[in-house]
């Protein structure tokens, strides 16, 4: 999934749509990509802000606010503290979209800098904020995703930033290390949507002249395609009962990577875990039953457009047995990450789950 909140990103995503549609059936790489990937694109999240920018310049900020004067970039529930901002209709629409899909990978496009920023944007001592870095359980994957975009961009990888005061080695940054913010979209997607999202700052000038927009597309074209391919990192599969029926809300996570809101299967019993190539223990847990552990060796399958497939079948579970579903807390307590996740203990569990899904690229 990809969505934009500023002018350059909006134009780039429109070009991306055109490129994917016109290349399908003609370009073998794009054809294979689209045959194996579901892509959702939202060119504009804040149409009010876009229309309000009548006299744009490089540093004009009016476009970041909607008609109600609210900054949508700070409007999501926060993973570390209570966000007092009133949820706006645009934000709620995106949250509903996330809930009703199974997004796995996404990017949101911004302007004002030239860097790929990754979660967390906020933090506490448990995630390393005292050292100026807020680390998620999947920090290695996020670094890889950010580097993938930066290294395939025409100049982002140089890390020069937009002025002498701001440099980004390799063209990437941890969001918190850059500057702390509350209510950001990428943290929300990762925590509640089970979706790995990074923020792409694509232009030093927020509202460049129209004749420069074509060059921005050329600078970002290869990076966008390579980034989409990363949806095929890691492992995916289905969790079923003894009759082969899908089991929704089963917890499936890699051992040693606990999430405060454990990652769960969707209504079709499907799970998707983005992981770098390597050996992992994957744990599947159906509440009330013994967990199943499987060791997998994950190759780099992005070029084959298919993540490693590993299914789980629970012979003791029937379609008449369904777990009680409850919501994750709106403010997860990241202190819980210091304890072993329930999803990685091979014992019998009684767990409370919820269904919250997100999809960007599936």
């Amino acid at each position: 999934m990809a969505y934009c909140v500023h002018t350059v990103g909006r134009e780039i995503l429109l070009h991306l749509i055109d490129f994917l549609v016109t290349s399908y059936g003609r370009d073998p790489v794009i054809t294979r990509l689209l045959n194996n990937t579901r892509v959702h694109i939202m060119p504009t999240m804040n149409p009010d802000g876009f229309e309000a920018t009548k006299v744009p310049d490089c540093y004009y900020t009016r476009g970041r606010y909607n008609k109600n004067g609210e900054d949508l970039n700070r409007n999501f529930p926060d993973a570390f503290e209570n966000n007092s901002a009133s949820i706006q209709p645009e934000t709620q629409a995106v949250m509903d979209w996330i809930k009703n899909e199974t997004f796995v990978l996404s990017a949101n496009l911004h302007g004002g800098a030239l860097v790929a920023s990754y979660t967390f944007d906020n933090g506490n001592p448990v995630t390393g904020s005292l050292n100026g870095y807020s680390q998620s359980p999947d920090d290695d994957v996020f670094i890889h995703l950010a580097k993938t975009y930066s290294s395939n961009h025409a100049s982002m990888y140089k890390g020069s930033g937009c002025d002498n005061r701001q440099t980004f080695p390799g063209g990437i940054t941890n969001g918190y290390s850059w500057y702390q913010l509350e209510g950001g979209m990428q943290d929300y997607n990762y925590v509640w949507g089970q979706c790995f999202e990074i923020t792409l700052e694509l232009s030093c000038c927020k509202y460049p002249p129209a004749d420069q927009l074509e060059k921005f597309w050329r600078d970002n074209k290869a990076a966008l395609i390579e980034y989409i391919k990363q949806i095929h990192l890691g492992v995916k599969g289905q969790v079923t009962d003894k009759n082969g029926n899908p089991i929704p809300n089963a917890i499936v996570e890699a051992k040693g990577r606990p999430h405060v809101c454990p990652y769960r299967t969707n209504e079709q019993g499907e799970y998707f875990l983005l992981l770098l190539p390597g050996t992992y223990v994957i744990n599947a847990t159906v509440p009330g039953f013994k967990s199943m552990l499987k060791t997998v060796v994950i190759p780099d399958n992005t070029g084959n457009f298919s993540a490693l497939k590993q299914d789980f079948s629970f012979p003791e579970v029937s379609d008449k047995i369904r777990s009680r579903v409850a919501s994750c807390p709106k403010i997860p307590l990241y202190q819980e990450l210091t304890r072993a996740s329930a999803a990685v203990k091979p014992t019998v569990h009684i767990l409370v789950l919820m269904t919250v899904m997100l999809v960007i690229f599936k």
Side-chain angles (χ1 to χ4, degrees), residues 282-294:
I282 307 300
N283 185 298
T285 302
V286 175
F289 296 87
K290 188 175 181 179
S291 298
M292 296 184 67
L293 300 176
K294 292 189 177 182

Side-chain angles (χ1 to χ4, degrees), residues 262-316:
Y263 278 21
R264 298 158 294 272
T265 56
N266 62 17
E267 288 299 314
Q268 287 72 49
E270 300 169 327
Y271 75 91
F272 304 86
L273 296 177
L274 293 186
L275 296 165
L276 298 184
T279 301
Y280 300 86
V281 176
I282 307 300
N283 185 298
T285 302
V286 175
F289 296 87
K290 188 175 181 179
S291 298
M292 296 184 67
L293 300 176
K294 292 189 177 182
T295 300
V296 297
V297 179
I298 297 177
D300 181 359
N301 270 345
T302 56
N304 296 324
F305 303 101
S306 178
L308 177 71
K309 197 167 189 300
Q310 178 64 68
D311 295 329
F312 291 85
S313 178
F314 282 80
E316 299 176 352

Side-chain angles (χ1 to χ4, degrees), residues 19-321:
F19 176 72
L20 293 176
V21 170
T22 57
S23 298
Y24 185 77
R26 300 168 59 186
D27 183 308
V29 174
I30 299 303
T31 301
R32 288 190 65 197
L33 180 64
L34 292 179
N35 282 343
N36 293 279
T37 313
R38 188 154 57 117
V39 182
H40 295 240
I41 299 175
M42 182 175 66
T44 301
M45 180 182 172
N46 184 10
D48 290 346
F50 183 83
E51 294 298 327
T53 309
K54 302 299 183 183
V55 186
D57 62 36
C58 284
Y59 308 104
Y60 198 64
T61 59
R62 183 175 179 182
R64 72 182 301 129
Y65 303 103
N66 70 352
K67 189 176 181 179
N68 296 329
E70 296 290 340
D71 184 352
L72 302 181
N73 292 330
R74 308 290 186 271
N75 198 233
F76 286 82
D78 192 85
F80 298 91
E81 52 193 298
N82 185 24
N83 188 356
S84 60
S86 175
I87 300 296
Q88 296 298 294
E90 300 92 335
T91 308
Q92 188 61 56
V94 171
M95 291 169 61
D96 292 342
W97 189 30
I98 290 168
K99 181 178 180 180
N100 294 322
E101 292 286 351
T102 307
F103 293 122
V104 179
L105 175 68
S106 66
N108 69 81
L109 282 57
H110 292 245
L114 191 63
V115 67
S117 175
Y118 56 91
T119 205
F120 288 118
D121 279 327
N122 205 348
N124 62 20
V126 172
T127 62
S129 63
L130 295 180
N131 297 319
Y133 191 106
S134 190
Q135 180 174 317
S136 76
D138 298 292
D139 192 62
D140 58 340
V141 180
F142 277 111
I143 291 173
H144 167 79
L145 293 172
K147 284 184 175 179
T148 295
Y149 198 94
S150 175
S151 64
N152 285 282
H153 186 277
S155 59
M156 185 183 291
Y157 68 93
K158 297 177 181 178
S160 56
C162 295
D163 56 47
N164 295 330
R165 297 170 299 171
Q166 191 179 70
T167 60
F168 301 105
I172 71 171
T173 183
N174 173 252
Y176 188 93
S177 294
W178 185 13
Y179 63 91
Q180 181 183 4
L181 68 88
E182 175 186 312
M185 188 189 302
Q186 68 178 16
D187 286 6
Y188 176 84
N189 280 346
Y190 175 64
V191 173
W192 284 283
Q194 305 185 187
C195 176
F196 286 51
E197 175 170 306
I198 66 173
T199 299
L200 300 173
E201 301 281 352
L202 300 180
S203 62
C204 296
C205 183
K206 292 187 177 183
Y207 298 92
D211 61 6
Q212 295 182 12
L213 294 176
E214 179 68 29
K215 183 180 184 302
F216 280 112
W217 161 242
R218 294 196 303 268
D219 288 350
N220 286 274
K221 176 181 173 181
L224 285 166
I225 299 304
E226 289 304 313
Y227 185 77
I228 295 174
K229 290 179 183 179
Q230 304 313 304
I231 187 60
H232 301 295
L233 279 174
V235 60
K236 65 182 179 181
Q238 188 179 36
V239 180
T240 57
D241 63 20
K242 65 179 183 180
N243 298 316
N245 298 312
I247 302 177
N249 303 311
I251 294 176
V252 183
E253 295 195 318
K255 190 173 182 180
R257 292 172 181 259
H259 300 97
V260 171
C261 288
Y263 278 21
R264 298 158 294 272
T265 56
N266 62 17
E267 288 299 314
Q268 287 72 49
E270 300 169 327
Y271 75 91
F272 304 86
L273 296 177
L274 293 186
L275 296 165
L276 298 184
T279 301
Y280 300 86
V281 176
I282 307 300
N283 185 298
T285 302
V286 175
F289 296 87
K290 188 175 181 179
S291 298
M292 296 184 67
L293 300 176
K294 292 189 177 182
T295 300
V296 297
V297 179
I298 297 177
D300 181 359
N301 270 345
T302 56
N304 296 324
F305 303 101
S306 178
L308 177 71
K309 197 167 189 300
Q310 178 64 68
D311 295 329
F312 291 85
S313 178
F314 282 80
E316 299 176 352
V317 181
S318 71
D319 57 7
K320 296 180 180 180
I321 301 174

